Amino acid sequence: MSSLRFITVKDFKTEKGFSKDFDLSYQIFGQSLGSAPVVLVNHALTGNSTLVGKNAWFDQIVGEEKTIDLNKFTVLAFNIPGNGYSGDVEDLIFNYKDFTIDDVAKLFAQGLQVLKIEKLYAIVGCSIGGAITWHIAINYPNLAEHIIPIASHHTANDWVLANCKIQEAILNNSSEPIVDARRHAMTLYRTPASLNQKFNRKKEEESFKVQNWLDFHGKALKHRYKLPAYRLMNHLLSTIDISKGTGDWLKFAKKIKSQIHLIAVNSDQFFLADDNWDTYVQLSEHQLSVSITEIKSIHGHDAFLIEHQQLATLLQPIFQKTKNKNEKNTAHLVWHR
């Protein structure tokens, strides 16, 4: 397992004018910096920089002789500041409304500058990590050859905003805020069909299995996650908007020079597949290097954590060969619905 490392981004000023030195924690896997193409992986809401090893969340995709092959790539993952992964209370952010997802994207990019990384082979992001990927791409349109937002979108839709509001109310008012917020969130990350298939109204003693499952996930998160971190991450989710408040996301997305690979989940009830297809259609009129594929699953948003083989298959063409310069796509990679 790669050890946790730290760098400082000095005098960083947020979108709302808050300024300070930020400590970024990160991990590096595979080849040493400067010796191989670099892949940046952005973690999901309650995830972290541990991609490989004990308690890893992405080791079905990242590893030696896996899709993102550590024999060929340097893989880097930052922790979103304030997610509490370093274990240091000083790293928590209590004034969470002073920060946006765009701030995180710019912090990551400045962290790359501190590490003297001028070019990325790819940026991969899942869920909120995919939104960070979008925000990095519109702020630094020449940084990466490939951007790959997975189970994500460039704008928080009204459904996401509504549920962030509910999550915030739970986190600020519940007597068991992390447990209750996680119970609620788990019903959003799956689908009715997924839960029905998994539990089929079966009981354990006096409770239904599905109820015990929600309790388990709520208590498990409480043991490894801090309340300020959950408040911050939920707030960041509500700030996803590459249009920077203008509503014209296409104006910003058209500036991206990377090859854009959208990977949606057909049953995602959070970041909708239809929204990603609309993005594909609109971008394809202006951007030759855009493609879209889908993970087919009944499991909803969490399918990116469950359908490992499908995700590996969709990513394989991007990582099976590396180029020093971008290749213009000769054909779109599309699965028609």
Side-chain angles (χ1 to χ4, degrees):
M1 175 179 170
S2 170
S3 60
L4 201 61
R5 310 181 193 192
F6 296 85
I7 54 173
T8 300
V9 176
K10 293 186 176 296
D11 299 320
F12 182 84
K13 190 173 183 179
T14 71
E15 196 174 291
K16 296 191 175 181
F18 181 74
S19 184
K20 63 169 283 188
D21 293 348
F22 274 90
D23 292 327
L24 278 181
S25 62
Y26 67 100
Q27 288 172 268
I28 291 178
F29 306 90
Q31 304 306 297
S32 59
L33 279 177
S35 66
V38 179
V39 177
L40 174 65
V41 176
N42 298 324
H43 66 77
L45 192 139
T46 61
N48 51 55
S49 61
T50 300
L51 308 179
V52 176
K54 186 179 179 181
N55 299 320
W57 66 274
F58 214 42
D59 60 352
Q60 297 288 329
I61 303 297
V62 176
E64 293 184 359
E65 298 184 0
K66 294 185 179 178
T67 305
I68 304 177
D69 190 347
L70 293 182
N71 293 316
K72 298 178 180 178
F73 293 98
T74 303
V75 180
L76 166 68
F78 290 113
N79 286 294
I80 295 175
N83 78 339
Y85 189 57
S86 71
D88 191 338
V89 173
E90 293 182 0
D91 291 340
L92 295 172
I93 293 173
F94 294 88
N95 54 328
Y96 62 94
K97 291 190 176 181
D98 285 339
F99 298 91
T100 67
I101 203 80
D102 209 55
D103 293 328
V104 175
K106 290 175 180 176
L107 267 171
F108 282 10
Q110 291 190 31
L112 293 174
Q113 292 173 13
V114 174
L115 293 171
K116 302 188 184 319
I117 299 171
E118 297 179 353
K119 186 72 176 176
L120 296 172
Y121 180 74
I123 310 174
V124 181
C126 301
S127 191
I128 195 173
I132 295 170
T133 300
W134 272 112
H135 277 261
I136 294 174
I138 60 105
N139 285 305
Y140 308 89
N142 295 296
L143 178 61
E145 290 188 41
H146 304 271
I147 65 162
I148 311 164
I150 301 167
S152 188
H153 200 235
H154 53 66
T155 306
N157 63 23
D158 291 285
W159 177 251
V160 170
L161 294 173
N163 280 289
C164 286
K165 181 71 173 177
I166 294 169
Q167 286 274 293
E168 183 180 29
I170 295 170
L171 291 168
N172 287 333
N173 297 299
S174 172
S175 59
E176 283 194 296
I178 293 179
V179 174
D180 287 341
R182 186 64 164 177
R183 286 183 182 123
H184 170 248
M186 291 304 297
T187 64
L188 304 173
Y189 300 153
R190 299 295 178 92
T191 65
S194 175
L195 296 185
N196 290 342
Q197 182 193 75
K198 184 177 181 65
F199 299 109
N200 195 29
R201 285 186 55 85
K202 291 181 180 177
K203 283 191 170 183
E204 290 175 331
E205 298 178 354
E206 298 300 314
S207 301
F208 284 102
K209 280 190 172 184
V210 67
Q211 296 168 332
N212 294 338
W213 178 79
L214 291 174
D215 290 344
F216 168 80
H217 281 283
K219 291 171 184 175
L221 189 65
K222 182 181 178 181
H223 287 310
R224 70 174 180 86
Y225 216 57
K226 300 287 192 300
L227 181 57
Y230 204 155
R231 285 190 180 121
L232 170 71
M233 296 298 292
N234 179 65
H235 169 70
L236 291 176
L237 191 62
S238 73
T239 67
I240 300 168
D241 178 13
I242 64 168
S243 82
K244 300 181 183 289
T246 67
D248 189 0
W249 68 267
L250 188 57
K251 172 186 173 182
F252 290 86
K254 284 191 296 185
K255 298 177 182 178
I256 299 171
K257 303 303 180 186
S258 313
Q259 296 184 41
I260 302 170
H261 310 269
L262 306 175
I263 299 181
V265 177
N266 69 323
S267 58
D268 196 336
Q269 298 183 99
F270 211 55
F271 293 112
L272 303 179
D274 283 348
D275 287 348
N276 279 283
W277 279 87
D278 288 343
T279 294
Y280 167 75
V281 170
Q282 292 187 63
L283 267 184
S284 63
E285 296 177 359
H286 304 277
Q287 175 70 263
L288 291 176
S289 53
V290 58
S291 66
I292 184 167
T293 53
E294 278 190 2
I295 296 170
K296 309 290 186 181
S297 177
I298 69 166
H299 295 304
H301 182 67
D302 267 2
F304 78 88
L305 294 169
I306 298 170
E307 309 287 0
H308 302 120
Q309 188 54 58
Q310 283 194 58
L311 181 55
T313 299
L314 298 182
L315 290 172
Q316 188 65 36
I318 305 167
F319 292 98
Q320 66 185 0
K321 60 182 179 179
T322 61
K323 296 289 184 183
N324 291 327
K325 296 182 179 179
N326 284 352
E327 286 185 319
K328 184 179 289 187
N329 286 358
T330 56
H332 297 312
L333 176 63
V334 180
W335 283 8
H336 294 286
R337 304 180 73 195

